[in-house]
Amino acid sequence: KNEVEQSPQNLTAQEGEFITINCSYSVGISALHWLQQHPGGGIVSLFMLSSGKKKHGRLIATINIQEKHSSLHITASHPRDSAVYICAVGYGNKLVFGAGTILRVKS
Amino acid sequence: GAVVSQHPSWVICKSGTSVKIECRSLDFQATTMFWYRQFPKQSLMLMATSNEGSKATYEQGVEKDKFLINHASLTLSTLTVTSAHPEDSSFYICSATGGRTEAFFGQGTRLTVV
């Protein structure tokens, strides 16, 4: 069974700060997803990656397959980035989800 | 990116009634759809996996007679909560894949049973 650990569980940042959320998993995967869930509940897929690094706007996601670790970075954070960020790893045709990181960015 | 539409976004129903939630892939053929349930302040819990044209595979502990899943076409899967009870109140969300590893999520449905 694949275990997915996310840290931190809660994160409060000041607007403009650089933010890092970490994700570790226990067995080999086909892909890793970073998801964003806003208070209304809807989920948006931010990244899917299986190696290296991806960037989209102020968001950067990296993955180290050997270390079974991924990070999500937010540069120049903004209050609208406040949400729950979820790491999910894919193996077989299923996803296993981390518990999520609750991010609050204060202005 | 691909779009998955889930409907309704919220529903309130009386105990004992049934509620149907739809999940549609709008611009791709979803060979596999997943249904999740999310309790407050918890992560998503996989309920079942459905492949078009075949019976859904339910996770351990999920009652298949209570949570009926139909995946009749490559663009539509439905979850019916039968004889709903207050403990069924939750946030339900679907995701769909078109055979690749990328998953696309619906907006979710908040069910309240009174």
Side-chain angles (χ1 to χ4, degrees):
Chain A
K1 181 181 177 182
N2 210 350
E3 302 289 340
V4 180
E5 297 286 336
Q6 260 186 261
S7 63
Q9 290 184 320
N10 290 279
L11 181 56
T12 299
Q14 205 62 39
E15 182 174 359
E17 286 184 359
F18 180 84
I19 289 165
T20 297
I21 300 170
N22 296 298
C23 176
S24 298
Y25 52 93
S26 57
V27 300
I29 61 172
S30 54
L32 183 142
H33 302 252
W34 280 103
L35 311 170
Q36 181 192 55
Q37 186 173 31
H38 279 281
I43 289 180
V44 174
S45 179
L46 299 175
F47 295 103
M48 182 191 72
L49 62 166
S50 54
S51 65
K53 174 181 174 179
K54 286 190 176 180
K55 184 177 189 294
H56 184 254
R58 294 180 295 106
L59 303 178
I60 303 167
T62 63
I63 187 168
N64 185 316
I65 299 295
Q66 287 73 31
E67 295 186 2
K68 297 185 175 60
H69 180 269
S70 175
S71 293
L72 175 69
H73 305 286
I74 305 175
T75 62
S77 59
H78 190 276
R80 64 175 175 267
D81 297 325
S82 299
V84 178
Y85 292 84
I86 303 169
C87 167
V89 298
Y91 69 109
N93 67 343
K94 295 185 178 180
L95 291 177
V96 177
F97 295 84
T101 295
I102 301 172
L103 171 64
R104 182 182 169 212
V105 181
K106 298 194 287 187
S107 57
Chain B
V3 177
V4 173
S5 175
Q6 190 174 335
H7 177 81
S9 56
W10 60 271
V11 58
I12 301 173
C13 71
K14 292 184 177 180
S15 288
T17 61
S18 295
V19 174
K20 181 185 283 189
I21 302 169
E22 292 187 348
C23 182
R24 292 181 184 273
S25 59
L26 298 185
D27 52 0
F28 69 102
Q29 294 185 326
T31 52
T32 305
M33 285 192 174
F34 303 88
W35 287 96
Y36 301 92
R37 183 174 180 176
Q38 186 179 36
F39 293 99
K41 299 187 187 301
Q42 295 188 26
S43 194
L44 284 75
M45 179 191 77
L46 179 64
M47 298 174 67
T49 303
S50 75
N51 293 293
E52 185 266 338
S54 61
K55 289 185 178 180
T57 303
Y58 289 80
E59 296 299 301
Q60 192 172 11
V62 178
E63 299 175 60
K64 56 184 169 184
D65 293 331
K66 179 160 190 64
F67 299 100
L68 300 179
I69 291 171
N70 184 284
H71 192 164
S73 77
L74 284 170
T75 59
L76 174 64
S77 176
T78 61
L79 167 67
T80 302
V81 183
T82 62
S83 187
H85 288 279
E87 57 264 31
D88 299 324
S89 298
S90 193
F91 186 71
Y92 295 88
I93 193 163
C94 69
S95 75
T97 68
R100 301 180 303 164
T101 52
E102 190 161 9
F104 302 96
F105 289 84
Q107 302 94 322
T109 298
R110 187 160 303 283
L111 171 63
T112 303
V113 185
V114 297

